[in-house]
């Protein structure tokens, strides 16, 4: 478990230490765009069947690393494991995405929720982390993750994905106390979940606030930001015995549509902030003032472009970051601004990774 990492570029970038080239990983790097993933999924039967089997979760986590020179692995799981363990009954409908058998829409519903036990109800996640760490053998660091309290609440209230977030926004307007109760229990659960993943071996932690950007600024500042700030403050990331601040397990707060809040997120106490493609990286660096590492931010649709176009856009993003960061590549983790899609070409991912490493090494 304690074997030194062969490639610690990703962790060094998150600590804003010098790197020989910009590290890169991609949100949803494991998934349906890979034929080997589709084959494993077919044999396993279902997505949840894969996620709940630690050996299969490990195999699928490693698949993109066998093909591409990625600088980090991300646990193969889902953000909706927490509400599932709270008893809401997660299931997937082919072509429709995640659904819940039970929703949370009243004070009574919210009052019934409790933080799940991490080593029983969510043991399969911690077992997957332990198996993946062992199989990685120190090649690259392993990222653990969770949804944000707000993003989890979206699925719990809506009962699945949503286009307009009508039910949760109505709850925010009509019964904010119930929504705050739900967000508070989600926050406790996220902190316990990420702590348990860290204890099991996760070497960095990312919170996905996928739906924070659907809120008006006033609502974001009431229903999402304070809970992200509480996670950044309260999530334990050092070992009391080691006492070495440099070895903190970095926390990355990713948010779609978070450009207007980058200064607040940089002050949250998190080590990294993930940004989408609606803001220039140089501008994001300017707004965050070197207080955090930045992760991002290529438009995922760039992968539909030609290899030449992909290389050009990668160089543009790397240049933008350097421009906003005093000419240095340090403190940047290259990524997409959101996850990959099933119809993307794996060969284009190889081009992206090659250009990030090649161009940033200059
Ligand atoms: O990045 C990775 O490779 C790690 C694995 C990962 C998955 N989900 C696997 C998955 C991660 C980090 C997630 C997070 C997640 N899950 C988020 C936040 C990230 C984001 O994209 O903003 C959200 C909103 C979810 C909820 C969820 N789970 C959705 C919307 C879907 C897709 C449904 C569909 O049919 O497209 C899932 C299922 C899911 N989670 C898949 C994967 C690979 C597809 C499963 C399949 O059908 O094989």
């Amino acid at each position: 478990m304690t074997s030194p990492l062969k490639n610690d570029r990703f962790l060094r970038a998150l600590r804003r230490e010098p790197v020989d080239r910009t590290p890169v990983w991609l949100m949803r790097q494991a998934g349906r765009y890979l034929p080997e993933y589709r084959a494993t999924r077919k044999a396993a039967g279902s997505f949840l069947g894969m996620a709940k089997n630690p050996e299969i979760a490990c195999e699928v986590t490693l698949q993109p690393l066998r093909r591409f020179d990625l600088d980090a692995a991300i646990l193969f799981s889902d953000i909706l494991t927490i509400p599932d363990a709270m008893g809401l009954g997660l299931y997937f409908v082919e072509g429709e995405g995640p659904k819940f058998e039970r929703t949370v829409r009243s004070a009574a519903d919210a009052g019934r929720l409790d933080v799940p036990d991490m080593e029983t109800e969510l043991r399969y996640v911690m077992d997957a982390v332990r198996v993946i760490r062992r199989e990685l053998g120190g090649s690259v660091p392993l990222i653990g993750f969770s949804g944000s309290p707000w993003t989890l609440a979206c699925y719990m209230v809506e009962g699945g994905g949503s286009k307009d977030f009508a039910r949760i926004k109505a709850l925010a307007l009509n019964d904010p106390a119930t929504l705050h109760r739900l967000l508070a229990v989600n926050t406790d659960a996220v902190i316990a979940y990420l702590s348990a993943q860290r204890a099991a071996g996760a070497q960095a932690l990312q919170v996905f606030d996928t739906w924070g950007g659907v809120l008006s600024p006033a609502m974001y500042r009431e229903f999402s930001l304070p809970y992200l700030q509480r996670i950044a403050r309260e999530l334990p990331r050092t070992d009391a015995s080691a006492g070495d601040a440099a070895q903190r397990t970095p926390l990355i707060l990713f948010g779609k549509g978070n450009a207007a809040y980058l200064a607040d997120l940089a002050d949250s106490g998190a080590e990294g902030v993930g940004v989408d493609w609606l803001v220039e990286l140089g501008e994001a660096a300017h707004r965050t003032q070197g207080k955090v590492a930045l992760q991002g931010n290529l438009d995922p649709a760039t992968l539909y472009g030609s290899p030449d176009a992909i290389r050009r856009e990668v160089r543009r993003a790397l240049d933008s970051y350097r421009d906003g960061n005093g000419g240095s590549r340090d403190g940047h983790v290259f990524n997409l601004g959101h996850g990959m899609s099933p119809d993307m070409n794996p060969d284009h991912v190889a081009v992206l990774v090659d250009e990030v490493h090649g161009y940033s090494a200059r």
Side-chain angles (χ1 to χ4, degrees):
M1 276 298 262
T2 51
S3 61
L5 275 167
K6 295 180 190 91
N7 172 357
D8 67 347
R9 222 176 253 148
F10 168 71
L11 295 178
R12 292 180 63 84
L14 287 169
R15 295 188 207 115
R16 285 172 284 122
E17 293 170 1
V19 285
D20 60 339
R21 54 192 67 191
T22 300
V24 53
W25 70 279
L26 303 178
M27 289 187 274
R28 291 279 174 93
Q29 65 192 22
R32 285 169 291 185
Y33 77 103
L34 290 176
E36 56 270 36
Y37 174 92
R38 296 195 297 269
T40 306
R41 189 178 187 278
K42 202 169 169 194
S46 71
F47 167 70
L48 274 179
M50 293 168 77
K52 293 193 173 183
N53 180 316
E55 273 71 33
I56 296 177
C58 175
E59 161 59 23
V60 174
T61 298
L62 299 181
Q63 284 173 349
L65 298 159
R66 294 191 190 115
R67 274 185 185 248
F68 315 118
D69 189 17
L70 296 159
D71 296 295
I74 180 161
L75 165 69
F76 184 81
S77 187
D78 201 79
I79 64 167
L80 301 177
T81 53
I82 288 181
D84 184 47
M86 286 175 169
L88 298 194
L90 173 65
Y91 64 102
F92 285 86
V93 180
E94 197 68 53
E96 285 182 52
K99 303 257 185 229
F100 283 110
E101 282 161 25
R102 288 165 288 280
T103 56
V104 182
R105 293 186 185 162
S106 67
D109 296 337
R112 274 193 290 272
L113 300 173
D114 244 322
V115 175
D117 185 84
M118 298 299 151
E119 283 295 344
T120 54
E121 286 144 311
L122 287 165
R123 184 181 185 99
Y124 68 91
V125 177
M126 309 312 149
D127 284 342
V129 171
R130 288 184 276 263
V131 172
I132 297 164
R133 266 302 297 276
R134 188 186 73 215
E135 293 303 312
L136 279 171
S139 52
V140 292
L142 174 62
I143 306 166
F145 70 91
S146 164
S148 73
W150 163 256
T151 293
L152 294 178
C154 287
Y155 289 95
M156 297 165 82
V157 173
E158 299 289 338
S162 177
K163 282 195 188 71
D164 54 10
F165 300 89
R167 290 190 181 91
I168 192 165
K169 287 187 176 181
L171 187 65
L173 292 161
N174 301 336
D175 187 4
T178 290
L179 182 52
H180 279 298
R181 200 165 319 139
L182 169 56
L183 292 166
V185 70
N186 283 355
T187 304
D188 292 339
V190 167
I191 291 170
Y193 189 53
L194 293 175
S195 301
Q197 290 184 41
R198 178 174 176 271
Q203 292 147 297
L205 301 164
Q206 176 158 319
V207 174
F208 287 86
D209 191 25
T210 306
W211 303 122
V214 306
L215 289 167
S216 69
M219 285 221 180
Y220 178 85
R221 290 181 188 286
E222 177 169 357
F223 297 108
S224 186
L225 182 62
Y227 297 98
L228 295 172
Q229 289 167 328
R230 176 145 86 84
I231 294 165
R233 239 183 2 254
E234 293 182 12
L235 178 68
R237 331 213 248 297
T238 44
D239 298 310
S241 55
D244 184 353
Q247 298 309 312
R248 258 170 104 76
T249 305
L251 170 69
I252 304 165
L253 299 178
F254 166 76
K256 233 184 127 215
N258 66 5
Y261 315 110
L262 290 172
D264 300 274
L265 294 167
D267 282 330
S268 67
E271 286 70 28
V273 171
V275 292
D276 70 16
W277 62 98
L278 299 184
V279 60
E280 293 283 354
L281 268 185
E283 173 62 21
H286 179 71
R287 291 186 198 175
T288 51
Q289 294 287 308
K291 292 175 184 169
V292 285
L294 291 178
Q295 180 175 275
N297 75 340
L298 211 60
D299 181 345
T302 307
L303 287 168
Y304 297 123
S306 67
D308 281 349
I310 293 166
R311 290 186 190 277
R312 182 180 73 227
E313 294 302 319
V314 166
R315 292 195 296 270
R316 192 203 303 281
L318 289 167
D319 284 342
S320 175
Y321 180 81
R322 283 203 198 212
D323 287 346
N325 194 48
S328 169
R329 75 186 149 223
D330 300 344
H332 181 204
V333 173
F334 201 97
N335 206 313
L336 304 173
H338 198 201
M340 296 187 60
S341 297
D343 61 351
M344 286 170 170
N345 180 346
D347 295 341
H348 287 193
V349 174
V351 170
L352 181 155
V353 171
D354 180 68
E355 191 65 22
V356 172
H357 284 156
Y359 188 72
S360 66
R362 301 184 329 158

Short mmCIF file of all heavy atoms in Angstrom, two decimals, residues 32 58 110 130 149 197 205 212 228 248 257 276 294 315 345:
data_model
loop_
_atom_site.label_atom_id
_atom_site.label_comp_id
_atom_site.label_asym_id
_atom_site.label_seq_id
_atom_site.Cartn_x
_atom_site.Cartn_y
_atom_site.Cartn_z
N ARG A 32 -18.50 3.53 -22.08
CA ARG A 32 -19.02 2.84 -23.27
C ARG A 32 -18.29 3.15 -24.56
O ARG A 32 -18.48 2.45 -25.56
CB ARG A 32 -20.51 3.15 -23.43
CG ARG A 32 -21.37 2.40 -22.44
CD ARG A 32 -22.79 2.91 -22.41
NE ARG A 32 -22.84 4.24 -21.84
CZ ARG A 32 -23.95 4.93 -21.59
NH1 ARG A 32 -25.11 4.40 -21.89
NH2 ARG A 32 -23.91 6.12 -21.06
N CYS A 58 -12.61 -2.93 -10.77
CA CYS A 58 -11.17 -2.75 -10.93
C CYS A 58 -10.77 -2.93 -12.39
O CYS A 58 -10.06 -2.10 -12.97
CB CYS A 58 -10.42 -3.74 -10.04
SG CYS A 58 -8.64 -3.69 -10.27
N ALA A 110 -37.38 13.66 4.10
CA ALA A 110 -36.01 14.07 4.45
C ALA A 110 -35.63 13.58 5.84
O ALA A 110 -34.50 13.17 6.08
CB ALA A 110 -35.87 15.59 4.35
N ARG A 130 -9.79 -0.71 -2.55
CA ARG A 130 -8.66 -1.53 -2.07
C ARG A 130 -8.11 -2.42 -3.19
O ARG A 130 -6.89 -2.52 -3.38
CB ARG A 130 -9.10 -2.38 -0.87
CG ARG A 130 -9.30 -1.54 0.41
CD ARG A 130 -9.64 -2.42 1.63
NE ARG A 130 -11.06 -2.72 1.72
CZ ARG A 130 -11.93 -2.04 2.49
NH1 ARG A 130 -11.53 -1.05 3.26
NH2 ARG A 130 -13.20 -2.37 2.51
N PRO A 149 -23.48 17.65 -2.48
CA PRO A 149 -24.78 17.56 -1.81
C PRO A 149 -25.93 18.04 -2.70
O PRO A 149 -26.98 17.39 -2.77
CB PRO A 149 -24.59 18.46 -0.59
CG PRO A 149 -23.11 18.34 -0.29
CD PRO A 149 -22.44 18.28 -1.64
N GLN A 197 -13.23 6.38 1.52
CA GLN A 197 -12.46 6.08 0.30
C GLN A 197 -10.99 6.39 0.52
O GLN A 197 -10.11 5.66 0.07
CB GLN A 197 -12.99 6.88 -0.89
CG GLN A 197 -14.36 6.41 -1.35
CD GLN A 197 -14.84 7.16 -2.59
OE1 GLN A 197 -14.07 7.43 -3.51
NE2 GLN A 197 -16.11 7.53 -2.60
N LEU A 205 -9.35 13.16 -4.13
CA LEU A 205 -10.81 13.06 -4.01
C LEU A 205 -11.45 14.16 -4.83
O LEU A 205 -11.01 15.31 -4.76
CB LEU A 205 -11.21 13.17 -2.55
CG LEU A 205 -10.60 12.10 -1.62
CD1 LEU A 205 -10.72 12.50 -0.16
CD2 LEU A 205 -11.22 10.73 -1.87
N GLY A 212 -24.70 22.32 -10.19
CA GLY A 212 -24.64 23.62 -9.52
C GLY A 212 -24.95 24.78 -10.48
O GLY A 212 -25.58 25.76 -10.10
N LEU A 228 -20.44 22.82 -0.29
CA LEU A 228 -19.09 22.51 -0.82
C LEU A 228 -18.03 23.06 0.13
O LEU A 228 -17.02 22.41 0.40
CB LEU A 228 -18.91 23.16 -2.21
CG LEU A 228 -19.81 22.63 -3.33
CD1 LEU A 228 -19.65 23.50 -4.59
CD2 LEU A 228 -19.49 21.18 -3.64
N ARG A 248 -1.03 16.16 2.23
CA ARG A 248 -2.49 16.20 2.26
C ARG A 248 -3.08 15.47 1.06
O ARG A 248 -2.55 15.60 -0.04
CB ARG A 248 -2.94 17.65 2.17
CG ARG A 248 -3.37 18.30 3.44
CD ARG A 248 -3.53 19.78 3.19
NE ARG A 248 -4.94 20.16 3.09
CZ ARG A 248 -5.75 20.27 4.14
NH1 ARG A 248 -5.31 20.02 5.34
NH2 ARG A 248 -7.00 20.64 3.98
N GLY A 257 -20.52 24.98 -14.94
CA GLY A 257 -21.13 26.29 -14.81
C GLY A 257 -20.66 27.04 -13.57
O GLY A 257 -21.39 27.87 -13.02
N ASP A 276 -15.25 24.09 -16.29
CA ASP A 276 -15.77 23.67 -17.59
C ASP A 276 -15.20 24.59 -18.68
O ASP A 276 -14.34 25.43 -18.42
CB ASP A 276 -17.30 23.62 -17.57
CG ASP A 276 -17.95 25.00 -17.49
OD1 ASP A 276 -17.26 26.02 -17.74
OD2 ASP A 276 -19.14 25.06 -17.15
N LEU A 294 -5.80 24.17 -10.89
CA LEU A 294 -6.97 24.15 -11.77
C LEU A 294 -6.96 22.88 -12.61
O LEU A 294 -5.90 22.43 -13.07
CB LEU A 294 -6.97 25.38 -12.69
CG LEU A 294 -7.23 26.71 -11.98
CD1 LEU A 294 -7.16 27.86 -12.99
CD2 LEU A 294 -8.58 26.70 -11.27
N ARG A 315 -3.33 22.66 -27.41
CA ARG A 315 -2.28 23.69 -27.28
C ARG A 315 -2.88 25.01 -26.83
O ARG A 315 -2.31 25.72 -25.99
CB ARG A 315 -1.53 23.87 -28.60
CG ARG A 315 -0.69 22.66 -28.99
CD ARG A 315 0.31 22.99 -30.09
NE ARG A 315 -0.31 23.37 -31.36
CZ ARG A 315 -0.63 22.52 -32.32
NH1 ARG A 315 -0.39 21.21 -32.19
NH2 ARG A 315 -1.18 22.95 -33.44
N ASN A 345 -14.34 8.59 -30.21
CA ASN A 345 -13.36 7.69 -30.84
C ASN A 345 -12.15 7.52 -29.91
O ASN A 345 -11.45 8.50 -29.64
CB ASN A 345 -12.96 8.33 -32.17
CG ASN A 345 -11.94 7.49 -32.93
OD1 ASN A 345 -11.32 6.58 -32.38
ND2 ASN A 345 -11.77 7.82 -34.20
#
